[in-house]
Amino acid sequence: MTDRIPTPDSRPPHPAPGATPDLSSRNPDWWRQAVVYQVYPRSFADADGDGLGDLRGVTRRLTHLAALGVDALWLSPFYPSELADGGYDVADPRDVDPRLGTLDDFATMVAEAHRLGLKVIVDIVPNHTSHQHVWFQEALRAGPGSPARDRYVFRDGRGERGELPPTDWQSVFGGSAWQRVPDGQWYLHLFAAEQPDLNWEHPDVRADVRTTLRFWADRGVDGFRVDVAHALAKDLDEPLRDLGAPELSREGALADFPPGTHPFYDRDEVHEIYRDWRKILDAYSPPRMAVAEAWVPGERRALYARPDELGQAFNFEYLQAPWDAEELRQVITDSLATARAAGASATWVLSNHDVVRHASRLMLPPDTDENAWLLSGGRAPAVDPDAGLRRARAATLLMLALPGSAYVYQGEELGLPEVADLPTEVLQDPIWEQTGHVRKGRDGCRVPLPWTTTGPSYGFGAGGAWLPQPPSFAAYAVEAQDGVEGSTLELYRTSLRLRRKLLDGETLTWAEDTPAGVLQFDRGDGWRCVANLSSVPVSLPAGEVLLTSSPLEDGRLGPDTTAWLGR
Ligand code: GLC
């Protein structure tokens, strides 16, 4: 609101590798090595006791984030929504869902976050709206051929009476990506049927998202996470192209197409959109940051992170890498190289609201079918929670030592495992219904957080929780770990504090002569990270042991353990 509009030249250049990062509040590059905590608002903290987390709940618990030592919080959508897809079905992108609070509650939350030194990032969902959005309702009423329909992707069907979908495109959540409306036309939805895709060739669509960016930036928001950033531009020229096989609708199928030519993913034209947004974001002081959710391969992903576009993109290759030293080393090396080539900072993430929590996932043997594992209630194969936690802690210390920005997902600081045995009758993720009960979906990582060891919903709220918490959550509660030496919460707090002190430039140098199964690298001046992914203890190099993810074994680094060393 009070932001000074800087001239383009007033931005300092990005720091050269080797320069000491500055996380202070006016530094325009604060995000390059920030640790960002993802809040999934419906599952974080419930102030009004209705079973659904809310903004006042977030505000009350901001001291937890400040004490943890993160730099920013990213809020998944809190906008008005019927929750057909956990809030990613947005009915109004410039308001707060009444069940989650009001715009005043949002202002209070931002002010309190800033007072505590925390930045605030919000999620924007530009690829689609909710079917309850006024535009879509207008489009339904206005009928075929109307300008209102042109803001979305409406088409006549194929077949004698138009009874077949316009193309063979599949939804990410399963089944056809087309839904028929009563007058016979079909509309495109790459996700749930309640999430019609917008037509990004339409000027209203472009203008509206600009308004949304300014709306939240004017309210003090420091950055944006851009949902499915790679899907906005689509080849909508007639006739629409069939893909020929259902799997070619998947994000993983991009390799089957010359880069930039898939009909709806990662098209070259999408980058014009982000160059346009960057001008808006740079008109604020400090410029607002942005991070792309783009499930596309490394070099193509880096394009979204160029300085004249979003600046950062989530590194899903890191998240998807198995717990294997060689593979991780390759992913880390490639990620740093592609980020650097694009002028971006690298990002690292192990868990979020769409994937199996890493305290469970990293224990699954490579090639495990995660959906089959979830359908087995987490029993085939069984995961030992203690072994999973040990590995997760090692993975976290490794991640936090990497140059760039790390994204942590609520509850991982408590060591929460996936709730793999949610009974199917409580599932809320549209994937479950839309696949005809074939894919169990993502609810197991969205179970509300335990804050206390007793009480209804373990301190999440005064009432119940919208997804049932298992009794094992009591032992993971903040209350059970606060101040307890060796707890996962204290490990996160200590490591984040130490990381701030040790951060030095954006470079990483792999150490020579490292035993098999061990990752070992130096960061700047006197900070070495050693991660033992092998099954035997290894000796540590010389240096002061600053922190370990599990106690040393006779002075040696045990399996699934990471150490940070100083000089
Ligand atoms: C993103 C979100 C996911 C959501 C989808 C559709 O992938 O992370 O939760 O279902 O977009 O908006």
Side-chain angles (χ1 to χ4, degrees):
M1 279 167 274
T2 53
D3 290 296
R4 181 174 56 86
I5 312 281
T7 59
D9 292 339
S10 67
R11 271 190 82 181
H14 285 140
T20 303
D22 169 11
L23 293 174
S24 69
S25 58
R26 303 307 289 178
N27 170 18
D29 287 319
W30 65 267
W31 46 274
R32 285 183 73 91
Q33 299 223 64
V35 176
V36 180
Y37 182 100
Q38 181 188 355
V39 170
Y40 193 69
R42 291 170 172 85
S43 302
F44 187 67
D46 172 20
D48 65 8
D50 68 353
L52 206 58
D54 44 40
L55 292 184
R56 284 197 294 126
V58 177
T59 305
R60 275 190 203 169
R61 296 292 187 183
L62 284 173
T63 49
H64 171 71
L65 303 190
L68 194 58
V70 298
D71 302 295
L73 63 148
W74 145 37
L75 290 143
S76 279
F78 47 82
Y79 315 115
S81 167
E82 63 171 339
L83 303 184
D85 180 24
Y88 283 91
D89 47 320
V90 178
D92 179 352
R94 296 187 286 275
D95 203 353
V96 174
D97 189 305
R99 286 168 297 178
L100 270 70
T102 61
L103 281 169
D104 283 346
D105 293 331
F106 182 82
T108 306
M109 185 202 69
V110 172
E112 181 60 7
H114 286 166
R115 195 184 67 75
L116 292 167
L118 297 162
K119 308 277 191 191
V120 179
I121 297 169
V122 299
D123 217 310
I124 58 160
V125 189
N127 179 65
H128 43 262
T129 67
S130 161
H131 67 146
Q132 295 183 329
H133 190 284
V134 283
W135 276 357
F136 193 73
Q137 289 302 314
E138 187 189 341
L140 285 183
R141 284 193 305 272
S146 60
R149 283 212 171 169
D150 203 27
R151 296 192 189 109
Y152 293 89
V153 185
F154 277 88
R155 291 289 185 279
D156 293 329
R158 294 191 292 196
E160 260 174 46
R161 292 173 307 284
E163 73 281 10
L164 298 172
T167 65
D168 62 357
W169 301 354
Q170 301 290 299
S171 151
V172 174
F173 293 166
S176 170
W178 296 94
Q179 176 77 20
R180 203 168 193 197
V181 299
D183 59 43
Q185 274 209 311
W186 298 74
Y187 68 86
L188 180 70
H189 60 90
L190 290 183
F191 293 89
E194 294 87 349
Q195 292 166 297
D197 278 57
L198 287 161
N199 169 15
W200 268 86
E201 287 169 19
H202 199 294
D204 288 358
V205 171
R206 291 186 180 234
D208 194 68
V209 173
R210 289 186 196 117
T211 307
T212 300
L213 291 170
R214 292 195 181 101
F215 181 89
W216 295 109
D218 287 346
R219 279 162 181 74
V221 154
D222 304 281
F224 297 90
R225 178 262 190 192
V226 182
D227 192 61
V228 281
H230 57 307
L232 275 49
K234 299 184 176 78
D235 179 7
L236 298 176
D237 288 349
E238 292 298 334
L240 298 181
R241 280 187 276 158
D242 266 338
L243 287 167
E247 57 277 13
L248 293 179
S249 290
R250 293 206 198 106
E251 288 145 325
L254 285 169
D256 290 315
F257 295 80
T261 65
H262 188 283
F264 47 85
Y265 286 136
D266 192 34
R267 294 186 62 76
D268 291 333
E269 314 88 86
V270 81
H271 295 287
E272 288 160 31
I273 298 172
Y274 302 125
R275 282 193 281 270
D276 174 48
W277 293 9
R278 177 43 61 198
K279 291 186 206 123
I280 295 170
L281 303 178
D282 277 357
Y284 289 86
S285 177
R288 300 328 193 208
M289 62 76 76
V291 54
E293 185 216 20
W295 291 85
V296 301
E299 284 176 16
R300 295 285 301 179
R301 186 186 59 237
L303 302 179
Y304 295 76
R306 287 178 288 196
D308 63 343
E309 296 195 26
L310 297 174
Q312 269 193 346
F314 288 124
N315 182 352
F316 293 120
E317 269 134 23
Y318 185 71
L319 183 151
Q320 289 168 325
W323 185 241
D324 174 274
E326 266 181 50
E327 293 207 36
L328 274 170
R329 179 173 167 152
Q330 194 60 51
V331 169
I332 292 167
T333 304
D334 293 349
S335 306
L336 289 172
T338 46
R340 186 161 306 143
S345 79
T347 67
W348 315 100
V349 57
L350 288 166
S351 284
N352 65 31
H353 65 295
D354 289 330
V355 300
V356 172
R357 282 185 177 276
H358 69 274
S360 305
R361 189 187 68 240
L362 292 176
M363 293 306 285
L364 298 175
D367 302 328
T368 304
D369 175 341
E370 285 180 9
N371 181 52
W373 177 73
L374 288 170
L375 287 170
S376 79
R379 280 180 282 275
V383 170
D384 171 359
D386 295 335
L389 183 56
R390 178 183 177 99
R391 187 168 283 184
R393 291 164 56 116
T396 295
L397 278 204
L398 170 62
M399 173 175 81
L400 292 177
L402 295 170
S405 168
Y407 285 78
V408 301
Y409 176 51
Q410 64 177 37
E412 69 169 78
E413 79 280 22
L414 307 177
L416 286 185
E418 181 79 0
V419 184
D421 59 355
L422 282 175
T424 55
E425 58 277 12
V426 304
L427 298 180
Q428 307 268 335
D429 188 342
I431 288 179
W432 174 241
E433 289 301 330
Q434 209 168 307
T435 58
H437 301 180
V438 170
R439 276 164 56 203
K440 200 171 173 190
R442 304 159 292 177
D443 290 311
C445 64
R446 300 174 176 180
V447 175
L449 291 194
W451 295 90
T452 55
T453 54
T454 54
S457 60
Y458 301 110
F460 166 65
W466 67 279
L467 278 173
Q469 301 151 302
S472 60
F473 262 33
Y476 293 96
V478 173
E479 186 185 34
Q481 301 195 41
D482 185 22
V484 175
E485 204 188 319
S487 71
T488 303
L489 177 59
E490 292 301 337
L491 178 71
Y492 269 75
R493 287 176 177 166
T494 309
S495 58
L496 290 171
R497 223 177 11 248
L498 205 52
R499 182 182 185 275
R500 266 186 202 223
K501 274 201 224 145
L502 295 169
L503 269 186
D504 186 11
E506 292 186 26
T507 55
L508 169 156
T509 313
W510 293 105
E512 301 300 331
D513 301 329
T514 302
V518 176
L519 291 171
Q520 194 172 172
F521 56 85
D522 289 310
R523 284 291 309 278
D525 201 18
W527 179 18
R528 173 168 284 203
C529 175
V530 189
N532 182 6
L533 287 75
S534 79
S535 53
V536 292
V538 295
S539 300
L540 280 171
E544 183 199 353
V545 177
L546 302 173
L547 186 64
T548 59
S549 62
S550 290
L552 294 180
E553 299 173 8
D554 295 328
R556 306 178 83 203
L557 193 66
D560 286 350
T561 310
T562 298
W564 289 359
L565 307 180
R567 261 200 237 276

